[in-house]
Amino acid sequence: MKNINIPEDFHGVCTWQSPSNIALVKYWGKRLPQLPMNPSVSFTLSECRTVMRTIFEASDRFSLSFTFEGKPNEAFAEKIRRFLVAHSDVFPFLDGLSLSIDSRNTFPHSSGIASSASSMSALVMTLLDIESRLTGEEIDIRKASCLARLASGSASRSVINKMALWGKTDAFDGSSDEYAVDIHDIAAPVFQTFRDSILIVSNENKAVSSSVGHRLMDDNPYASVRYNEANNNAKRLIDALKNADLQCFMDIVEAEAMQLHAMMMCSKPSFVLVKPETIAIINKVKQYRVATGVPVCFTLDAGPNVHLLYPDEHYAAVSRFIETELMTEINSLKHIDDKVGNGASRV
Ligand code: PMV
């Protein structure tokens, strides 16, 4: 990595926003250096974002101060420091900079929505923006995705507009384990405006961190079957996106959510992240789909919250279903209306 000269009066402010994303085919299981054991496919979200504002100036040594929503947050500052130290060869210019970062999320603080994808991708875009101001070179989105991946695997997908594929598969030319690629061009119009209504079942912190969960796949007796399934599902999902095959899309998305949680339940030690309410919602969604023919399916992240995915034209019907059949039955259920959106951008 070439060293970059920092002018003494170098300073500025930059603000980046980066969204969360929801995996359709799940990344669960990894190898060094943070490479996936199978390809994953995601929708980039629009409403659930991190907005990160950074003040930077030349300094005789690196320093970082970090606040979350205006308040000091040493735990997150430490996570950023560890990432920067581990990859100091990629960001040599940081040696001569002082950074003051304030980060905030557009989604409620304790909503159980993982913020590592949005926050770590916003951080990487910020650093590459500062580098680009020093070198005059444009930000390379592949490099951004690759560095975001090193910070948090799923963050690699958040820099990409609308739909991302991370991981090598012969179903898509140019796919790579190193970075995510944009696949939204291949998808039929119905998927370009897909909705994601996020049902917040619980806002508790995750019982198991995703890094522990990934590691437990190393000794999971079903791991090779799972990786094989995920590879096939990635290929079939890409075809379903191309062919506007909603039935196939829903089958794969739900199977992926179930397999992700099945892997957790048969890890050693096992863990259960779904709640009774999660199961109740899943059953209700299946009944509703059969009764009405509305093409709505569910997926889960590494937690109890349920994402309902469906075409935009069914927004009114699904909203009514959420209000009349889910909110009335499930205590203190909250929801966030989200949809397919663009990747990281400068504010
Ligand atoms: O990016 P990580 O290490 O937090 O892992 C994310 C794993 C899942 O959210 C469960 C699945 C995925 O592909 O996003």
Side-chain angles (χ1 to χ4, degrees):
M1 183 60 50
K2 63 178 184 255
N3 224 333
I4 298 167
N5 189 33
I6 301 176
E8 253 174 49
D9 61 348
F10 183 68
H11 69 282
V13 181
C14 69
T15 304
W16 277 84
Q17 58 174 359
S18 192
S20 185
N21 67 80
I22 181 68
L24 309 168
V25 174
K26 309 291 182 183
Y27 151 60
W28 199 242
K30 63 180 174 183
R31 61 201 159 87
L32 288 171
Q34 193 110 298
L35 295 169
M37 294 301 285
N38 62 260
S40 57
V41 180
S42 58
F43 281 155
T44 304
L45 296 180
S46 160
E47 301 304 317
C48 294
R49 282 172 280 124
T50 292
V51 182
M52 193 173 269
R53 181 174 186 272
T54 303
I55 304 170
F56 54 90
E57 63 180 334
S59 162
D60 49 9
R61 63 184 177 85
F62 174 66
S63 74
L64 168 72
S65 74
F66 180 86
T67 53
F68 181 71
E69 293 177 350
K71 298 197 189 90
N73 185 319
E74 213 17 66
F76 205 85
E78 206 33 54
K79 188 174 172 182
I80 296 178
R81 268 188 218 108
R82 268 203 311 275
F83 169 66
L84 297 180
V85 168
H87 303 288
S88 52
D89 55 328
V90 189
F91 307 111
F93 55 92
L94 285 179
D95 267 353
L97 284 181
S98 117
L99 305 179
S100 167
I101 301 178
D102 181 62
S103 185
R104 47 194 73 226
N105 295 334
T106 57
F107 43 97
H109 181 37
S110 47
S111 60
I113 297 179
S115 60
S116 65
S118 55
S119 58
M120 295 318 274
S121 52
L123 173 71
V124 164
M125 295 310 292
T126 299
L127 298 174
L128 292 183
D129 188 352
I130 296 173
E131 179 183 48
S132 142
R133 291 175 198 220
L134 285 164
T135 61
E137 286 166 23
E138 297 264 304
I139 297 177
D140 174 1
I141 202 72
R142 274 193 188 167
K143 179 175 171 187
S145 174
C146 186
L147 292 172
R149 177 202 103 224
L150 292 168
S152 167
S154 55
S156 67
R157 302 185 306 238
S158 276
V159 299
I160 305 287
N161 286 341
K162 292 187 171 183
M163 284 162 231
L165 163 68
W166 169 39
K168 182 89 192 121
T169 165
D170 50 26
F172 193 85
D173 281 348
S175 58
S176 169
D177 284 348
E178 304 271 340
Y179 47 81
V181 291
D182 183 339
I183 60 164
H184 88 270
D185 274 351
I186 59 139
V190 65
F191 294 113
Q192 308 287 338
T193 54
F194 235 62
R195 290 265 173 184
D196 179 1
S197 294
I198 310 170
L199 305 171
I200 313 292
V201 166
S202 164
N203 54 22
E204 284 167 22
N205 280 336
K206 282 195 278 185
V208 180
S209 73
S210 59
S211 46
V212 170
H214 287 291
R215 212 174 309 129
L216 288 173
M217 281 300 278
D218 294 347
D219 295 318
N220 188 310
Y222 300 98
S224 61
V225 179
R226 163 62 196 153
Y227 298 144
N228 200 28
E229 277 284 292
N231 269 291
N232 284 334
N233 283 342
K235 287 184 188 147
R236 291 178 55 224
L237 187 83
I238 288 170
D239 280 342
L241 292 173
K242 281 183 190 160
N243 302 330
D245 188 340
L246 280 173
Q247 188 57 56
C248 183
F249 174 89
M250 293 191 294
D251 290 348
I252 295 169
V253 166
E254 293 191 350
E256 279 289 316
M258 292 306 212
Q259 286 182 24
L260 170 69
H261 284 263
M263 288 303 107
M264 298 172 185
M265 291 181 201
C266 58
S267 292
K268 290 174 192 154
S270 64
F271 53 104
V272 181
L273 298 186
V274 287
K275 303 253 180 205
E277 294 87 342
T278 314
I279 314 277
I281 293 171
I282 288 175
N283 287 331
K284 287 223 164 243
V285 170
K286 288 184 173 184
Q287 286 160 10
Y288 173 77
R289 187 168 60 218
V290 171
T292 62
V294 171
V296 52
C297 64
F298 66 84
T299 189
L300 307 168
D301 230 325
N305 298 331
V306 185
H307 292 243
L308 297 188
L309 301 176
Y310 53 94
D312 185 42
E313 63 176 297
H314 298 289
Y315 176 64
V318 175
S319 299
R320 217 164 29 247
F321 163 63
I322 294 171
E323 263 153 50
T324 58
E325 294 192 43
L326 300 181
M327 311 274 278
T328 48
E329 296 268 321
I330 291 155
N331 262 345
S332 67
L333 183 70
K334 297 194 179 67
H335 78 282
I336 298 175
D337 274 333
D338 214 329
K339 53 183 178 298
V340 166
N342 282 333
S345 62
R346 198 182 276 112
V347 178

